[in-house]
Amino acid sequence: QVQLVESGGGLMQAGESLRLSCTASGGTFSSYTLAWFRQAPGTERDFVAAISSSTNILYYGDSVKGRFTISRDNAKNTVYLQMNSLKPEDTAVYYCAANRLSRYSRTSPVGYAYWGQGTHVTVSS
């Protein structure tokens, strides 16, 4: 079974930057599409960013384009989310996901087989 563990969350002020990490164990990391989702209290889980496997194509949700960057280091079995210019509306639990099924949209959480436990990000104004 693939295990995903997020880290790097914390309390930040608006305008600051933060980098989240997600490290995988088990499975074949280099073959996975990887993604970040987030869920604020009382809301549905929303797509943040995704990165494909061999081609490293990047995808971003509209609310984070130009501010967040997803990247991967296959040698370390790690995917990162660099978050710049943080806003209070970025406050959420951030989840790492892996192994998208091609019959689902890359922005849909139901299309990913593996999930981390989440890491909290709080942005104050």
Side-chain angles (χ1 to χ4, degrees):
Q1 180 76 350
V2 174
Q3 302 285 337
L4 302 174
V5 180
E6 302 97 333
S7 62
L11 292 111
M12 307 295 292
Q13 290 188 332
E16 294 183 336
S17 298
L18 191 67
R19 189 177 76 164
L20 306 182
S21 299
C22 173
T23 300
S25 60
T28 305
F29 183 85
S30 61
S31 69
Y32 296 152
T33 295
L34 302 167
W36 289 93
F37 291 79
R38 66 187 184 185
Q39 187 167 18
T43 70
E44 297 181 349
R45 190 165 298 187
D46 291 330
F47 174 76
V48 176
I51 182 169
S52 63
S53 54
S54 61
T55 57
N56 286 337
I57 297 174
L58 309 179
Y59 305 88
Y60 295 100
D62 289 340
S63 64
V64 306
K65 287 180 179 177
R67 298 189 299 119
F68 290 10
T69 302
I70 186 172
S71 61
R72 65 192 297 163
D73 186 339
N74 290 338
K76 297 181 178 180
N77 285 356
T78 299
V79 59
Y80 304 97
L81 184 69
Q82 178 67 45
M83 304 185 294
N84 297 328
S85 301
L86 284 166
K87 302 176 180 179
E89 51 263 44
D90 296 321
T91 296
V93 178
Y94 283 72
Y95 296 92
C96 175
N99 197 15
R100 183 181 70 89
L101 300 176
S102 61
R103 59 193 173 98
Y104 295 101
S105 169
R106 62 180 56 84
T107 66
S108 175
V110 302
Y112 291 84
Y114 307 114
W115 292 85
Q117 83 290 346
T119 185
H120 291 255
V121 175
T122 301
V123 184
S124 64
S125 60

